[in-house]
């Protein structure tokens, strides 16, 4: 039993490292060859994990081989557009200038029901509101609504919008994120002073704290039990 436990930990660690090296992508964003490699790696790991009669190296070596193949293909596709088009495929225009391209649907084995379903996930319930719809190589649908159906932007109203950047986390669950504090050139004593103004005496009592690009501090204290 101990042998199975140790083998499982080793294989799990290798699979996690391999998937991490492959890059940060969600399942729906993987290219076909990346999805195939991910499935094969998980299958290769499960065999020696279940059968202790199979040497551990017989599972590790194929996993590392698949990882090397995936990295090689990714590197090649970065350097060559032709290879990238062959391996990953090209985006397909399903709707162009408001017109449905029937031949593209047949080529991609894609149905109108598939299109309508993906449009609904983007809060578009009328195909007549779509100017362009593009099926990306990873299966995701990109949609450009018609001009009359797009959301109004500050530019449309001739409003000069202020610059906005993502807020920076300073404290998460009582832990101070020192690198963010240093990057913002924000003094710890200043932070603690602002927290005391909010009635919080210690950083450990903070559930979450962040500061936006305008210098406004947001803070929520932990609930006292």
């Amino acid at each position: 039993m101990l042998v199975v436990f140790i083998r499982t930990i080793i294989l799990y660690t290798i699979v996690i490292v391999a998937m991490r090296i492959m890059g940060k992508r969600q399942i729906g964003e993987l290219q076909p060859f990346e999805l195939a490699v991910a499935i094969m790696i998980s299958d290769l790991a499960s065999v020696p994990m279940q059968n202790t009669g199979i040497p551990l190296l017989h599972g590790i070596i194929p996993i590392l081989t698949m990882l090397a193949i995936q990295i090689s293909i990714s590197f090649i596709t970065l350097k060559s557009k032709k290879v990238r088009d062959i391996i990953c495929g090209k985006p397909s225009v399903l709707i162009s200038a408001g017109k449905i391209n029937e031949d593209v649907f047949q080529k991609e084995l894609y149905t109108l029901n598939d299109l309508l379903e993906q449009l609904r996930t983007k809060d578009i319930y009328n195909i007549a509101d779509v100017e362009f719809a593009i099926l990306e190589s990873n299966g995701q649908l990109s949609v450009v609504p018609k001009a009359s159906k797009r959301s109004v932007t500050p530019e449309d109203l001739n409003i000069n919008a202020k610059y906005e950047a993502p807020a920076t986390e300073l404290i998460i669950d009582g832990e101070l994120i020192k690198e963010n504090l240093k990057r913002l050139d924000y003094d710890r004593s200043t932070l603690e002073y602002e927290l005391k103004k909010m009635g919080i005496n210690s950083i450990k009592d903070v559930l979450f704290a962040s500061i936006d690009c305008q210098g406004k501090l947001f803070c929520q204290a932990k609930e006292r039990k």
Side-chain angles (χ1 to χ4, degrees):
M1 185 64 99
L2 181 61
V3 173
V4 175
F5 179 74
I6 294 174
R7 287 164 68 99
T8 301
I9 292 177
I10 293 173
L11 288 167
Y12 174 79
T13 303
I14 292 174
V15 171
I16 292 297
V17 171
M19 298 302 293
R20 181 66 184 85
I21 293 174
M22 285 175 61
K24 297 181 179 179
R25 291 201 190 185
Q26 299 179 5
I27 294 298
E29 297 175 347
L30 293 176
Q31 297 292 342
F33 80 93
E34 292 174 327
L35 181 60
V37 170
I39 294 173
M40 292 182 68
I41 285 177
S42 63
D43 285 342
L44 289 170
S46 65
V47 174
M49 191 182 297
Q50 296 172 355
N51 190 349
T52 55
I54 299 176
L56 193 60
L57 282 177
H58 287 195
I60 295 176
I61 292 176
I63 291 174
L64 297 179
T65 302
M66 292 300 301
L67 179 60
I69 292 172
Q70 194 276 335
I71 293 174
S72 300
I73 293 176
S74 297
F75 181 78
I76 293 171
T77 56
L78 283 174
K79 300 297 182 181
S80 173
K81 184 179 182 303
K82 290 183 178 179
V83 175
R84 183 164 61 248
D85 290 341
I86 294 172
I87 295 177
C88 301
K90 297 180 180 180
S92 301
V93 181
L94 301 176
I95 299 178
S96 177
K99 181 182 178 181
I100 299 173
N101 298 323
E102 292 185 54
D103 54 336
V104 178
F105 278 80
Q106 295 175 1
K107 179 182 176 182
E108 298 294 337
L109 301 179
Y110 197 81
T111 67
L112 282 171
N113 287 335
D114 294 330
L115 174 62
L116 293 171
E117 181 180 342
Q118 291 212 42
L119 288 177
R120 286 193 294 270
T121 64
K122 298 180 180 296
D123 296 326
I124 298 177
Y125 300 94
N126 189 350
I127 200 170
D129 297 339
V130 179
E131 188 73 22
F132 287 92
I134 302 171
L135 183 64
E136 305 294 350
S137 56
N138 62 2
Q140 296 290 326
L141 186 70
S142 300
V143 180
V144 179
K146 291 184 177 179
S148 59
K149 299 296 181 179
R150 296 176 195 168
S151 301
V152 178
T153 65
E155 186 178 3
D156 295 330
L157 302 175
N158 294 322
I159 297 175
N160 292 324
K162 293 182 179 180
Y163 170 77
E164 291 185 6
T168 302
E169 298 85 5
L170 298 179
I171 304 172
I172 297 179
D173 198 16
E175 293 291 333
L176 180 66
I177 306 177
K178 295 180 180 179
E179 57 268 26
N180 287 352
L181 207 67
K182 183 178 180 181
R183 180 168 58 84
L184 295 175
D185 197 21
Y186 198 83
D187 188 68
R188 176 170 179 160
S189 59
T190 303
L191 175 60
E192 291 176 338
Y193 174 74
E194 293 295 332
L195 293 177
K196 287 181 180 179
K197 287 169 60 177
M198 299 177 183
I200 302 173
N201 296 321
S202 173
I203 288 176
K204 295 186 180 296
D205 296 331
V206 178
L207 178 65
F208 180 79
S210 65
I211 188 169
D212 62 18
C213 59
Q214 306 297 329
K216 184 178 180 181
L217 181 68
F218 169 82
C219 178
Q220 180 173 330
K222 294 181 179 179
E223 293 184 0
R224 295 183 180 181
K225 298 182 180 179

